[in-house]
Structure formats: C-alpha cells, structure tokens
C-alpha cells in the first residue's frame, strides 16, 4: 500500500484566467468521452462554477450521473473538487476524496497547473486500485494533457 496523494502537473500555453476558464467552464471540450460513470454515452461533462456546485455528466439518454461537487471556487487560482466516484467507477455519496487544482501564472501566456488528488485512504481496501488508475497514462495524465491542448487552442 502506498500512502499520500497523487500529484500531477502540466504547463499550458495560456494566460491564467483562460487556463482556469478552460479547466472549469470548458471542461466538456476536453474531458474524454470514455471517462464516465453512466450506462449511456457521455454527452456533456458539467462543472457548476460556484462553491457547492455540482460536478456531473449528462448522457445521451438524458440521464445525469453525479461525480462530486465544488468545494472551493477561487478563480483564477484555486479549485477544489469532491471526487465521489469509487474504485469501480460508480458514484458513492458516502465517499469523498478531494482533487485540488492550483493555477500559477508563469508569464502573460503561460500557466502551470498542479493537481493533487488526496484522501485516497478513504477508498479503503481499493486504495491501491484507485491510485493505480489515477496515476496511469489514462488517468490524470491523460486528462491534464487533453486540458493543456484545449487551453492552448
């Protein structure tokens, strides 16, 4: 068993305000359609831009599947999300891990984005399985790469 959070970072070719907006309000443009929890095909990834806002998917069959909620909303520097998806990729209202995303300006057109997914011990016996998924090339690295490409467009 490995302790501690999963940490990843990416540098995007965009001003900090644009990077934050693309990550949050533009999430649907970069979130992979394969990363979903519902039975149907993913139509839209939604992040409501406010503390207490929902983070969820809308599928092509019209169903909505919760992913978590917005815990901290401080544009353009900080976003903290509750991740409430278990290691079998199902919403679990009793589970809440945190994903903190910090945005650091490195110039007028360059932003470093640091992501920390913590409280993985809350997955219990599935902690290592969840960690492996988050750290895998298809996990947070893929998501951050997709975000960086969208932010640079």
């Amino acid at each position: 068993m490995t302790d501690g959070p999963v940490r990843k970072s990416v540098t995007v070719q965009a001003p900090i305000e644009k990077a934050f907006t693309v990550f949050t309000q533009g999430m649907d443009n970069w979130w992979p359609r394969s990363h979903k929890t519902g039975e149907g095909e993913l139509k839209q990834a939604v992040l409501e831009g406010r503390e207490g806002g929902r983070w969820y998917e809308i599928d092509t069959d019209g169903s909505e599947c919760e992913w978590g909620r917005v815990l901290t909303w401080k544009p353009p520097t900080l976003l903290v999300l509750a991740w409430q998806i278990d290691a079998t990729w199902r919403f679990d209202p009793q589970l809440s891990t945190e994903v903190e995303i910090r945005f650091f300006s490195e110039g007028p057109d360059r932003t470093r984005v640091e992501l920390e997914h913590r409280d993985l011990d809350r997955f219990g016996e599935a902690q290592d399985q969840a960690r492996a998924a988050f750290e895998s090339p298809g996990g947070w690295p893929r998501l951050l790469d997709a975000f960086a490409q969208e932010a640079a467009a």
Side-chain angles (χ1 to χ4, degrees):
M1 179 181 297
T2 305
D3 292 330
V6 170
R7 292 187 177 104
K8 302 294 177 189
S9 66
V10 66
T11 300
V12 300
Q13 300 303 315
I16 190 170
E17 293 83 4
K18 180 182 177 185
F20 188 88
T21 298
V22 169
F23 194 95
T24 57
Q25 301 309 301
M27 180 175 279
D28 186 54
N29 294 328
W30 57 267
W31 192 268
R33 292 301 182 248
S34 58
H35 287 48
K36 62 183 187 62
T37 62
E39 297 297 321
E41 293 185 31
L42 177 63
K43 178 180 177 184
Q44 185 178 8
V46 180
L47 179 70
E48 295 176 344
R50 58 180 170 80
E51 288 185 8
R54 296 170 58 210
W55 184 29
Y56 62 102
E57 70 183 64
I58 301 172
D59 292 336
T60 54
D61 63 3
S63 64
E64 294 184 1
C65 301
E66 301 291 328
W67 293 351
R69 64 187 184 285
V70 177
L71 300 176
T72 304
W73 177 264
K74 293 184 178 176
T77 60
L78 177 63
L79 172 69
V80 181
L81 302 171
W83 174 282
Q84 296 182 276
I85 301 170
D86 69 17
T88 64
W89 308 111
R90 296 286 176 245
F91 177 72
D92 179 350
Q94 305 304 313
L95 174 69
S96 184
T97 61
E98 289 187 1
V99 180
E100 179 178 288
I101 305 101
R102 291 191 172 271
F103 299 79
F104 301 91
S105 178
E106 293 190 335
D109 294 316
R110 187 176 164 99
T111 304
R112 182 171 36 91
V113 179
E114 296 181 353
L115 180 145
E116 178 179 290
H117 194 156
R118 57 184 175 237
D119 303 323
L120 301 182
D121 58 314
R122 295 179 183 170
F123 284 99
E125 293 181 5
Q127 176 182 349
D128 288 343
Q129 177 187 348
R131 176 185 308 283
F134 296 139
E135 289 187 331
S136 74
W140 285 119
R142 178 177 178 196
L143 295 170
L144 289 177
D145 285 347
F147 154 68
Q149 290 176 14
E150 182 67 20

